[in-house]
Amino acid sequence: MFEKDLNVGFLLDFYGDVLTERRRDALDFYYNNDMSLSEIAEEMGISRQGVRDLIKKAEEELLFYEEKLGLARKFKSAQHHAERALTMCEAGEDPKTIEDEIRLLLESVG
């Protein structure tokens, strides 16, 4: 069975511009517009199997880029540390603790 890896939709935001237009469109239809393979096939004028193959190859390409570059992982880490630092500031935590969290934030994007 063909299952959606919702992480791919997230990776599409980071690396979508390096995909061919055809692969990017197929992923966009599938992940962002929640279209079925049959609906995408009709929209793109190809077979359902052709759509499946396009999506699988595009997913593999996105996973390759993430493995090599790690931009999505770095973004998630930075977002986590930024949210923690903000929560600490709002809670009036010790400035040293907040400073440590900000350092972790900076390291995650460096």
Side-chain angles (χ1 to χ4, degrees), residues 86-105:
L86 181 60
T87 300
M88 290 175 177
C89 287
E90 292 171 346
E93 295 229 8
D94 175 53
K96 175 66 175 130
T97 306
I98 297 168
E99 180 183 332
D100 291 344
E101 194 64 36
I102 292 171
R103 287 187 193 288
L104 291 171
L105 167 63

Side-chain angles (χ1 to χ4, degrees), residues 29-74:
F29 289 144
Y30 189 66
Y31 285 99
N32 296 332
N33 297 325
D34 202 29
M35 292 171 68
S36 70
L37 298 181
S38 297
E39 291 170 326
I40 298 168
E42 187 176 324
E43 178 73 27
M44 297 182 80
I46 60 176
S47 70
R48 186 181 177 284
Q49 183 63 43
V51 171
R52 186 185 184 288
D53 291 345
L54 261 179
I55 290 172
K56 290 307 288 178
K57 287 180 175 148
E59 288 174 341
E60 289 170 5
E61 191 174 348
L62 291 178
L63 292 169
F64 172 79
Y65 289 128
E66 178 59 14
E67 179 184 322
K68 297 301 179 190
L69 301 173
L71 297 178
R73 178 184 39 79
K74 288 179 182 178

